[in-house]
């Protein structure tokens, strides 16, 4: 089981409290598709992803970015058992979506970059550490049910 | 994953813009490397103070950023340009090459923090590719 200090819980809660889902969600997914273009393989039905401009103006990418970001809510609400909370989502990503679990870390890194951009120097080393720990637990849980 | 002409142009112009803050960026990036990824502290057991923003970190952060800026100058042949640095890391420092991408990750995070408007997705991918090449060049002499 993952141990969380009070400070770590507070840091993560703070980030979620001030999170603008409609802004951060799209930005994180757009950045993932631009910086790691092989991730586009999972979005064949999303239309025009040919270049950065297309990705940045693609409404399906923006909408899905918000969906993915809200997916983190359940982890934030169940920090003491993220592994179990995401068991079903892990099966979905493995059996139905066939996503290479290495990609989870790529999206997590892009999300960290977007949040750093929004928080500026408020994204202190302590907050970054708590946030990256949270994301690595999420990434691990999402990869857990692959076989 | 080679650098296109556009990538090189974006990297050169972004690094020119951030050059005045190289010391601050290096300080933040190295502080975060040691704090967020504590296994990296094993390479600095000879430092008294490894807390974020310490004098040793600030000084060394500038050394590291200067290295990256030098690699930008040599962007057309990074592998050859960094041979001496690779030897240093391979034979003297013996840093596990897996750590190179930890520090470059933190440089990207700090770039986003300090330059949210300029660090666009296109600049991000160009820098990420550039750092990939730098990290590969640093590993060149290891075995």
């Amino acid at each position: 089981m993952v141990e969380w200090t009070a400070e770590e819980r507070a840091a993560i809660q703070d980030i979620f409290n001030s999170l603008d889902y409609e802004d951060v969600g799209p930005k994180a997914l757009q950045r993932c598709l631009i910086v790691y273009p092989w991730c586009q393989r999972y979005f064949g039905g999303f239309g025009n992803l040919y270049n950065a401009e297309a990705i940045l103006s693609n409404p399906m990418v923006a909408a899905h970015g918000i969906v993915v970001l809200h997916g983190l809510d359940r982890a934030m609400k169940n920090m003491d058992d993220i592994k179990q909370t995401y068991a079903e989502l892990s099966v979905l990503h493995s059996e139905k979506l066939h996503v290479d679990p290495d990609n989870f870390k790529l999206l997590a890194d892009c999300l960290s970059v977007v949040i750093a951009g929004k928080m500026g120097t408020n994204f202190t080393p302590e907050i970054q550490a708590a946030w990256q720990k949270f994301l690595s637990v999420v990434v691990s849980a999402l990869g857990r049910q692959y076989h | 994953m080679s650098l296109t002409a556009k990538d090189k142009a974006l990297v050169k112009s972004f690094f020119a813009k951030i050059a005045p803050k190289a010391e601050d960026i290096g300080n933040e990036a190295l502080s975060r490397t040691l704090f967020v990824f504590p296994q990296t502290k094993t390479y600095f057991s000879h430092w008294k103070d490894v807390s974020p923003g310490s004098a040793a970190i600030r000084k060394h952060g500038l050394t590291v950023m200067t290295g990256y800026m030098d690699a930008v100058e040599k962007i057309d042949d990074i592998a050859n340009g960094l041979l001496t640095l690779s030897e240093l890391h391979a034979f003297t420092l013996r840093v596990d090459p897996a750590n190179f991408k930890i520090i470059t990750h933190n440089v990207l995070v700090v770039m986003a923090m300090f330059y949210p408007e300029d660090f666009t997705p296109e600049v991000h991918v160009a820098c990420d590719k550039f750092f990939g090449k730098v990290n590969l060049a640093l590993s060149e002499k290891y075995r």
Side-chain angles (χ1 to χ4, degrees), chain A residues 75-111:
Chain A
M76 184 261 298
K77 295 192 176 108
N78 294 284
M79 278 174 64
D80 290 310
D81 197 1
I82 294 179
K83 188 163 69 179
Q84 193 45 50
T85 303
Y86 277 165
E88 239 183 85
L89 262 179
S90 178
V91 171
L92 173 80
H93 282 76
S94 164
E95 305 296 297
K96 184 152 178 273
L97 305 176
H98 306 292
V99 177
D100 181 341
D102 284 348
N103 291 299
F104 301 144
K105 184 175 183 312
L106 301 180
L107 179 58
D109 282 349
C110 286
L111 185 53

Side-chain angles (χ1 to χ4, degrees), chain B residues 34-86:
Chain B
L34 298 174
F35 189 85
V36 180
F37 303 91
Q39 68 272 22
T40 58
K41 288 193 291 192
T42 54
Y43 293 100
F44 300 97
S45 51
H46 54 290
W47 283 357
K48 267 192 285 283
D49 186 0
V50 287
S51 59
S54 75
I57 289 180
R58 177 165 278 279
K59 178 163 177 258
H60 197 63
L62 179 58
T63 304
V64 170
M65 281 307 290
T66 307
Y68 292 132
M69 293 190 294
D70 184 52
V72 173
E73 296 298 307
K74 299 169 176 165
I75 203 165
D76 290 316
D77 191 359
I78 296 176
N80 276 317
L82 296 190
L83 280 175
T84 316
L85 265 179
S86 181

Side-chain angles (χ1 to χ4, degrees), chain B:
Chain B
M1 291 192 256
S2 47
L3 294 167
T4 62
K6 181 175 163 207
D7 290 327
K8 291 181 188 179
L10 286 171
V11 168
K12 283 183 159 157
S13 76
F14 188 68
F15 267 78
K17 169 167 279 200
I18 71 177
K21 277 201 172 174
E23 191 181 316
D24 283 336
I25 294 171
N27 175 40
E28 284 284 346
L30 186 54
S31 292
R32 281 152 202 282
T33 299
L34 298 174
F35 189 85
V36 180
F37 303 91
Q39 68 272 22
T40 58
K41 288 193 291 192
T42 54
Y43 293 100
F44 300 97
S45 51
H46 54 290
W47 283 357
K48 267 192 285 283
D49 186 0
V50 287
S51 59
S54 75
I57 289 180
R58 177 165 278 279
K59 178 163 177 258
H60 197 63
L62 179 58
T63 304
V64 170
M65 281 307 290
T66 307
Y68 292 132
M69 293 190 294
D70 184 52
V72 173
E73 296 298 307
K74 299 169 176 165
I75 203 165
D76 290 316
D77 191 359
I78 296 176
N80 276 317
L82 296 190
L83 280 175
T84 316
L85 265 179
S86 181
E87 279 169 358
L88 174 75
H89 284 76
F91 303 127
T92 310
L93 304 175
R94 284 180 290 198
V95 176
D96 188 323
N99 291 295
F100 298 149
K101 59 181 187 300
I102 294 180
I103 194 171
T104 53
H105 164 75
N106 284 300
V107 174
L108 291 172
V109 166
V110 175
M111 283 172 167
M113 274 169 54
F114 285 1
Y115 300 92
E117 300 303 323
D118 297 293
F119 193 62
T120 62
E122 271 142 318
V123 170
H124 181 167
V125 61
C127 288
D128 195 50
K129 286 168 76 174
F130 165 71
F131 283 133
K133 283 219 167 296
V134 168
N135 293 342
L136 190 61
L138 281 176
S139 324
E140 191 64 33
K141 290 289 189 182
Y142 272 69
R143 55 179 177 176

Side-chain angles (χ1 to χ4, degrees), chain A residues 12-31:
Chain A
I12 289 155
Q13 192 61 59
D14 278 347
I15 290 180
F16 275 94
N17 286 344
S18 52
L19 198 53
D20 181 356
Y21 288 80
E22 263 92 63
D23 184 46
V24 171
K27 281 191 168 136
L29 185 56
Q30 286 156 2
R31 214 165 262 260

Side-chain angles (χ1 to χ4, degrees), chain A residues 103-128:
Chain A
N103 291 299
F104 301 144
K105 184 175 183 312
L106 301 180
L107 179 58
D109 282 349
C110 286
L111 185 53
S112 298
V113 165
V114 171
I115 285 178
K118 295 212 77 158
M119 291 177 68
T121 43
N122 289 325
F123 194 57
T124 62
E126 288 83 359
I127 291 182
Q128 183 183 346

